[in-house]
Amino acid sequence: MDERQLQILRELGELGSVTAVAEALHVTPSAISQQLRLLQRTIPVPLTERAGRRLVLTQAGQALARAAIEVETALARARHTVTDFTEQPDGDVSLAAFHSAASAFFPLLLRGLTGPGRPRLALADEDVAQDRFPALTRDYDLVLAHRLDHGPPWPRTVTASTLLREPLDVALPTGHPLASKTLLLPHDVADQPWITVHDGFPLMSTIEAIASVANRRLDITHRINDFAVAAEAVAAGAGLALMPRWTTRKHPNLVLRPLGAVHARRHIDVLHRPERTARRAVRTVLAQLHHAAAQIQNQDTHAPHPGADTTATP
């Protein structure tokens, strides 16, 4: 038995004929009769009987019709409850982000979503390999993920939108001989020691591209995923590193220079399961993320010094 069948039984009890029920529900009499037959198969006693040319409810049918009113009332309450939940402006919203995105976006979100009637954020850091980001949408409403500009797309099981297309620059100590250049090429940096991320993380593809264009294997001395830690290692003279231009904090002892001859840019995308945005609170946070992305790009505090080549900038 289902809601539609119970509704038909209730209307039959009130209207007194299949034809009248069909007119009230804007369907054919045969469709009404078919639903009544399907309902009857699930009930061990007769629900209707003939009274002359009319089909009327038996006592069992009348009892079930009264119960149908209670069922319809309960379902209406449930629908209103769901509507209230989805339209609640200050609902809880969980958001996960990898480290550099968390550092850039979390403060802007927390400041932008303060006050009554705003979503309540539950923030978490999740620094995982690229292929593991989609699975995080099972546990979080929204997930900030990264992939290279030319990397494979996200699976169709999640909805994705791009917040930033962020250039990747070469980070050097301020006194490094290459710091005087406005644009670095792979052959400029191929003989330098390198600090890079662990295998499986998107930036490794750009490191491999540098090695391919320079036609030599890079000397990778350290594997550090956290850009803040990597920045300290670069500043200490441990090697060069790739750094996102906008989402890493400015370091007083580092300079960033754009990289030419290779495609050095990453996407910062927000992933979610399609049903999550049925909630107003999630939609509010999603809109605030796009607003924060515009703020981050407009600040551009890590842009190369004047006169630098900016062809990598989106």
Side-chain angles (χ1 to χ4, degrees):
M1 99 181 44
D2 62 28
E3 179 188 0
R4 182 67 168 176
Q5 292 165 354
L6 291 176
Q7 181 189 24
I8 288 171
L9 192 72
R10 175 187 177 183
E11 296 296 343
L12 181 61
E14 292 184 5
L15 298 175
S17 75
V18 170
T19 301
V21 174
E23 291 177 355
L25 300 181
H26 307 288
V27 296
T28 64
S30 62
I32 297 297
S33 297
Q34 180 184 23
Q35 290 300 312
L36 288 171
R37 286 193 296 271
L38 292 173
L39 177 60
Q40 183 62 74
R41 290 177 188 175
T42 66
I43 305 297
V45 295
L47 297 175
T48 61
E49 60 186 3
R50 288 286 173 183
R53 299 180 62 182
R54 297 173 58 243
L55 188 69
V56 299
L57 300 184
T58 63
Q59 288 186 344
Q62 292 171 11
L64 187 56
R66 288 192 295 272
I69 297 174
E70 297 177 11
V71 170
E72 195 165 342
T73 301
L75 288 172
R77 289 198 190 102
R79 292 190 192 97
H80 287 307
T81 299
V82 170
T83 299
D84 290 343
F85 172 73
T86 57
E87 291 303 315
Q88 187 177 0
D90 58 351
D92 296 327
V93 178
S94 58
L95 170 66
F98 60 96
H99 292 154
S100 58
S103 178
F105 280 89
F106 284 2
L108 294 176
L109 285 178
L110 290 168
R111 288 193 289 268
L113 294 173
T114 58
R118 307 293 280 170
R120 295 183 297 272
L121 293 172
L123 304 177
D125 62 326
E126 292 279 2
D127 195 23
V128 300
Q130 180 177 336
D131 59 359
R132 292 180 57 195
F133 278 112
L136 294 176
T137 61
R138 181 181 299 110
D139 301 317
Y140 300 98
D141 293 311
L142 300 168
V143 174
L144 295 190
H146 55 88
R147 66 180 181 88
L148 291 188
D149 204 13
H150 56 280
W154 302 110
R156 294 183 179 180
T157 54
V158 298
T159 298
S161 59
T162 297
L163 297 173
L164 289 173
R165 293 179 176 87
E166 183 176 29
L168 301 172
D169 295 326
V170 178
L172 315 96
T174 51
H176 196 284
L178 292 176
S180 62
K181 289 180 171 285
T182 58
L183 175 70
L184 297 177
L185 298 174
H187 70 264
D188 295 323
V189 297
D191 61 347
Q192 300 289 318
W194 276 87
I195 302 160
T196 113
V197 295
H198 292 274
D199 289 333
F201 289 78
L203 262 65
M204 277 307 300
S205 296
T206 303
I207 294 293
E208 292 163 0
I210 294 171
S212 177
V213 173
N215 195 28
R216 62 170 296 170
R217 185 175 181 178
L218 299 188
D219 177 20
I220 297 175
T221 57
H222 304 288
R223 299 273 188 167
I224 301 173
N225 273 19
D226 190 308
F227 287 122
V229 178
E232 295 297 338
V234 173
L240 310 185
L242 287 178
M243 291 281 176
R245 184 176 297 174
W246 300 321
T247 56
T248 52
R249 292 182 179 178
K250 186 175 181 180
H251 193 291
N253 299 320
L254 293 188
V255 294
L256 299 183
R257 294 293 178 259
L259 181 63
V262 296
H263 208 66
R265 191 170 68 169
R266 72 172 180 177
H267 282 211
I268 296 180
D269 296 334
V270 55
L271 313 182
H272 61 84
R273 295 193 170 190
E275 66 272 16
R276 302 282 186 158
T277 49
R279 295 177 52 214
R280 180 179 173 184
V282 175
R283 296 195 302 272
T284 298
V285 175
L286 186 58
Q288 189 65 30
L289 279 170
H290 283 277
H291 178 69
Q295 288 181 275
I296 291 168
Q297 184 168 350
N298 288 338
Q299 289 173 357
D300 203 359
T301 56
H302 291 182
H305 60 66
D309 186 299
T310 57
T311 55
T313 307

